[in-house]
Amino acid sequence: MTNHSSEAPSHGQWIRIDSDLGLDVPDNPIIGFIEGDGVGPDIWAAARPVFDSAVKTVSRGAREIAWWEIPAGEKSFRDTEEYLPASSLQAINKALVVIKGPLTTPVGGGFRSLNVTLRKELDLYACIRPIRYLPGTPSPVVRPELVDMVIFRENTEDVYAGIEWKSGSDDAARVIRFLRDEMGVTVDPFSGIGIKPMSPGATKRLVRRSIRFAVENGKKKVTMVHKGNIMKFTEGAFRDWGYELAREEFPDAVISEEHLWTHHGGVIPDGKILLNDRIADAMFQQVLLRPSEYEVLAMPNLNGDYLSDALAAQVGGLGMAPGANVGDRCAVFEATHGSAPKYAGLDKVNPSSMLLSGAMMLRHMGWNDAADLIVSAVSSTIQSGTVTYDLARLMPGAREVSCSGFARAVIERMNLILTY
Ligand code: NAD
């Protein structure tokens, strides 16, 4: 049952953080959801019954999610005249686990991105985006099955911090005067100015999370992706702080590329993780030409944004790309794509991005069997040739279905998988 007020549903129980065990998830957890703008309501309406069905089926009715609607975006503005009420931030902090649709941000004006605000206010410092090929999905590359990477993108700093001044404004003129008078740097007086802050603290917690993920999931390589040859004190420092963190906190687990060749003949020994780095532009070529050489990628905000969309294209496009924004307390799961306004309300786009984000969420809660069932059913539905328009146009002979039609087909597949 949806509860549209700010009251949490009374039939659910809170997820808690246990200092020893991590998340303590009851059988009927209250989980927050934000429908989102544009196609958000379409993919949410399609995905929710899939989540409910998977959880109910694998637990034989013992588990049920109590969904709690959290206002944000255009729908919230219509109801409350606020795009992101303070009570919504409090609600996310209370629920701890939330799934959201995309939120629209106007380009070049209006308000600051709600997504950026959410990430900053809740300190969701790691954007985690797994990029994995599901068999049967059409792809523009010859061997898409070689792509199996997890991106850890720093979420709070870099040019995305929102510190910028408009061309011609008094503030921009002050910054330009400061640069000239105090720093001896000349820039065009009509420049817009943006600041790119990157700190050791934010870098290290992101790299720490990526290495821990590698350790816990049996991955052998973590690659830092940066443009440190040009931006030495930001992107270059990202790389240096990453290596420093590995030396300080993972001295027994992590080896460098140099050590790999001088001591191990280029073969990563059992129980060790290779931490290396690549320049961002070269990395765009690497993921196309040698995808099997990369497993976990840690990178600053802008690089992560670009590379995750590019990688998503290799495994079927944005409609197939899940993600999560995670801090030490809360986790907000969301598709990588935006609100795709031209498809809003048409019941047309691919809900797999949301379905796979939900599977990530269930795994985060420790409900791996429900997550596995969703991933298998999405994969097997696509393999059967039942797909939304984005994949259908690349799959001769496919049966094109609507957004909700695809979700219904996934539920049928889940039942079939469990029957056999
Ligand atoms: P977009 O990701 O919304 O859409 C780009 C194109 O990708 C669409 O036109 C469509 O062809 C395709 N696409 C996206 N989702 C799809 C799906 N589920 N199935 C099939 N095809 C899909 O990018 P945009 O048009 O640049 O951004 C629209 C708005 O979304 C902007 O306001 C932007 O700021 C916002 N945005 C929000 C988020 C977020 O909430 N996390 C992320 C990115 C962009």
Side-chain angles (χ1 to χ4, degrees), residues 148-160:
D148 186 1
M149 299 179 214
V150 182
I151 287 182
F152 283 75
R153 164 189 169 196
E154 204 290 320
N155 236 352
T156 62
E157 298 196 322
D158 201 353
V159 281
Y160 279 44

Side-chain angles (χ1 to χ4, degrees), residues 240-392:
D240 295 343
W241 291 323
Y243 283 129
E244 195 174 284
L245 176 275
R247 282 194 301 275
E248 289 164 354
E249 298 186 15
F250 302 92
D252 298 330
V254 171
I255 56 171
S256 68
E257 204 151 49
E258 189 189 346
H259 188 91
L260 176 72
W261 287 101
T262 51
H263 291 72
H264 304 287
V267 180
I268 304 171
D270 282 347
K272 299 282 184 197
I273 289 167
L274 169 68
L275 178 66
N276 60 6
D277 69 276
R278 295 287 180 269
I279 302 282
D281 44 352
M283 190 63 185
F284 276 86
Q285 190 176 107
Q286 289 282 303
V287 296
L288 279 167
L289 299 181
R290 308 164 81 108
S292 59
E293 292 186 12
Y294 298 96
E295 295 183 347
V296 179
L297 310 180
M299 61 189 96
N301 212 332
L302 180 66
N303 299 339
D305 199 7
Y306 289 168
L307 196 56
S308 50
D309 275 28
L311 270 165
Q314 293 191 45
V315 297
L318 282 174
M320 298 299 300
N325 297 295
V326 178
D328 289 331
R329 182 176 166 79
C330 303
V332 176
F333 296 81
E334 64 172 345
T336 294
H337 63 75
S339 55
K342 78 176 178 189
Y343 295 106
L346 302 182
D347 189 24
K348 186 171 171 72
V349 297
N350 189 346
S352 299
S353 49
M354 182 67 118
L355 293 172
L356 298 173
S357 301
M360 280 179 81
M361 177 183 82
L362 294 168
R363 244 182 260 290
H364 176 76
M365 294 159 55
W367 292 8
N368 291 357
D369 42 6
D372 291 343
L373 181 60
I374 292 171
V375 175
S376 303
V378 168
S379 179
S380 128
T381 307
I382 293 171
Q383 280 186 69
S384 76
T386 300
V387 289
T388 43
Y389 82 99
D390 52 322
L391 303 186

Side-chain angles (χ1 to χ4, degrees), residues 188-234:
D188 186 295
F190 294 104
S191 302
I193 303 280
I195 300 281
K196 180 181 174 77
M198 284 170 57
S199 68
T203 299
K204 285 185 175 182
R205 65 181 178 172
L206 186 270
V207 177
R208 178 185 299 117
R209 201 158 191 137
S210 67
I211 296 176
R212 272 201 196 134
F213 172 86
V215 171
E216 286 162 11
N217 291 277
K219 304 286 184 188
K220 305 284 286 176
K221 291 180 198 164
V222 178
T223 304
M224 296 181 286
V225 182
H226 60 87
K227 190 69 187 163
N229 52 334
I230 305 294
M231 293 170 270
K232 297 181 194 307
F233 302 131
T234 49

Side-chain angles (χ1 to χ4, degrees), residues 163-198:
I163 309 171
E164 48 182 12
W165 298 280
K166 195 172 177 180
S167 161
S169 67
D170 289 346
D171 285 342
R174 278 178 70 188
V175 177
I176 290 167
R177 269 200 309 277
F178 169 81
L179 289 174
R180 186 193 62 204
D181 298 343
E182 306 288 329
M183 310 302 290
V185 175
T186 308
V187 293
D188 186 295
F190 294 104
S191 302
I193 303 280
I195 300 281
K196 180 181 174 77
M198 284 170 57

